[in-house]
Amino acid sequence: MPQALTLNQRIVLVSRPVGAPTPENFRLERVALPDLADGQVLLKTLYLSLDPYMRGRMSDAPSYAAPVEIDEVMTGGAVSRVERSLNPKFHEGDLVVGSTGWQSHSISDGRNIIPIPSGLPSPSMALGVLGMPGMTAYMGLMDIGQPKSGETLVVAAASGAVGSVVGQVAKIKGLRVVGVAGGAEKCRYVVEELGFDACIDHRSPDFANDLALACPKGVDIYYENVGGKVFDAIIPLLNPKARIPLCGLIAGYNAHEAPSGPDRLPQLQRTLLTKRVRIQGFIVFDDYGDRQPEFVSAMAPWVRDGKVKFREDIVDGLEQAPEAFIGLLEGRNFGKLVVRVAQD
């Protein structure tokens, strides 16, 4: 019996952005999916994760991962429901997570998807605190940051998907935690809801001085998500043998020319040398993919017991993904940005 035709709604990359992405870089289209072959499953996307790394994948500059090709579906992690299965490992109705892209449906041979943990308040949490952002926060902090009770940690983008988890885990480990976020509402949330010791608004005209006052004993760990002026303000505050997990540099993702102002590289090099600072970049699944069970076993109880809180910013409709992604790069989201593609 022939299979029912499945129409797939998808967003493809039309052109590579110069500077900030615009809606014109994307195209929404509908195409028919082929019939399933043996070993394949048909997936219906429920939640799509939007993350800063996607900006790099829109560029064809050399990087750690291949770029999205022109007229190719935008890459991205998603929670999906199995609609039909010709793979004995998956059954109709199973919820899975994997890199299936900006589309309403996809076909998988099972190698790029895994079952999501049972008992989550929302399946979308597999894209956040118990997914890639949470694991990024945990492994970067614990393996590179090497936190010790009594130390001071500063984390940029503190209300975001990664930064919020970094700070809460650091508090569990007994550190003084200072966040950096954009705007009074986000800073208030970071302190009052997440339990950080302080949060500094990077929009303040006296930001660097405010940050220094919040770190009277200097900075032992700086978890870097942003770069730019936040990193500039951190450099003179670093203590001897400070550690910098380098997760992201979102302030420069849309840059297409060298930054203005003085050359800060000599100051940075001198600081790294004289204070013996360790700075290390990492790609979470490349570097720590085999340690995912360690992450889940630590994080899941903290989430269940309310020791780690997590906020989602949910946008409805796949067609809203480009504008939501553009807003993510501008800091308009509040919490982990997720597109609800279909009701679960």
Side-chain angles (χ1 to χ4, degrees):
M1 179 182 294
Q3 299 175 16
L5 182 68
T6 299
L7 283 177
N8 181 33
Q9 188 178 40
R10 65 186 191 180
I11 294 176
V12 302
L13 181 66
V14 176
S15 57
R16 303 200 183 280
V18 177
T22 68
E24 289 70 34
N25 297 131
F26 306 93
R27 180 176 68 245
L28 177 66
E29 59 184 28
R30 291 173 176 83
V31 296
L33 289 180
D35 289 345
L36 292 186
D38 285 342
Q40 293 183 329
V41 294
L42 173 65
L43 303 173
K44 181 176 183 178
T45 306
L46 302 180
Y47 296 97
L48 168 67
S49 177
L50 296 182
D51 300 284
Y53 78 84
M54 295 171 177
R55 175 61 183 86
R57 301 291 290 276
M58 297 176 74
S59 168
D60 58 2
S63 186
Y64 63 89
V68 177
E69 298 297 336
I70 299 300
D71 294 325
E72 188 176 82
V73 177
M74 279 291 297
T75 188
V79 167
S80 303
R81 182 173 59 232
V82 176
E83 295 284 279
R84 291 200 298 273
S85 177
L86 297 179
N87 185 318
K89 295 181 181 179
F90 300 94
H91 303 92
E92 184 176 328
D94 286 352
L95 295 181
V96 299
V97 62
S99 185
T100 52
W102 295 24
Q103 52 188 344
S104 64
H105 296 79
S106 60
I107 292 175
S108 170
D109 62 6
R111 287 182 290 184
N112 67 330
I113 56 174
I114 59 173
I116 70 166
S118 59
L120 299 183
S122 168
S124 60
M125 292 179 72
L127 301 172
V129 66
L130 291 174
M132 182 271 289
M135 186 169 170
T136 299
Y138 180 85
M139 298 310 309
L141 174 63
M142 300 303 295
D143 192 68
I144 301 173
Q146 297 286 311
K148 302 175 186 63
S149 181
E151 291 187 323
T152 295
L153 172 139
V154 175
V155 58
S159 67
V162 173
S164 62
V165 176
V166 168
Q168 291 178 90
V169 173
K171 286 300 297 181
I172 291 171
K173 297 299 179 180
L175 280 72
R176 173 175 172 79
V177 176
V178 177
V180 175
E185 183 183 5
K186 289 182 178 180
C187 286
R188 186 164 49 248
Y189 167 77
V190 164
V191 173
E192 295 179 2
E193 295 295 325
L194 302 185
F196 288 31
D197 296 285
C199 188
I200 309 304
D201 186 350
H202 66 72
R203 300 173 184 170
S204 167
D206 204 20
F207 166 68
N209 186 59
D210 293 342
L211 183 62
L213 291 174
C215 303
K217 296 183 179 180
V219 176
D220 300 293
I221 305 171
Y222 173 54
Y223 195 105
E224 175 63 290
N225 292 315
V226 172
K229 68 178 183 181
V230 179
F231 188 61
D232 292 344
I234 282 287
I235 294 173
L237 305 180
L238 293 172
N239 287 331
K241 297 189 177 180
R243 289 83 69 198
I244 304 176
L246 179 53
C247 171
L249 297 164
I250 194 171
Y253 285 175
N254 289 331
H256 56 95
E257 57 185 23
S260 60
D263 181 1
R264 300 171 181 84
L265 182 58
Q267 178 197 11
L268 173 60
Q269 290 175 317
R270 179 175 176 79
T271 300
L272 296 179
L273 173 62
T274 59
K275 292 188 176 180
R276 294 147 289 163
V277 173
R278 177 187 181 188
I279 180 169
Q280 181 177 331
F282 68 103
I283 306 301
V284 66
F285 287 125
D286 288 358
D287 296 322
Y288 300 109
D290 60 339
R291 294 174 65 178
Q292 189 168 22
E294 172 191 340
F295 155 68
V296 173
S297 65
M299 188 64 65
W302 289 335
V303 173
R304 184 182 62 243
D305 297 341
K307 293 182 178 179
V308 171
K309 300 177 182 178
F310 196 70
R311 176 171 179 150
E312 292 180 314
D313 190 338
I314 295 181
V315 175
D316 281 299
L318 180 65
E319 69 279 2
Q320 302 300 324
E323 187 60 39
F325 176 66
I326 291 167
L328 169 71
L329 297 176
E330 297 173 353
R332 297 204 304 251
N333 62 298
F334 194 164
K336 174 70 189 84
L337 186 57
V338 176
V339 177
R340 182 160 42 208
V341 179
Q343 296 294 328
D344 58 357

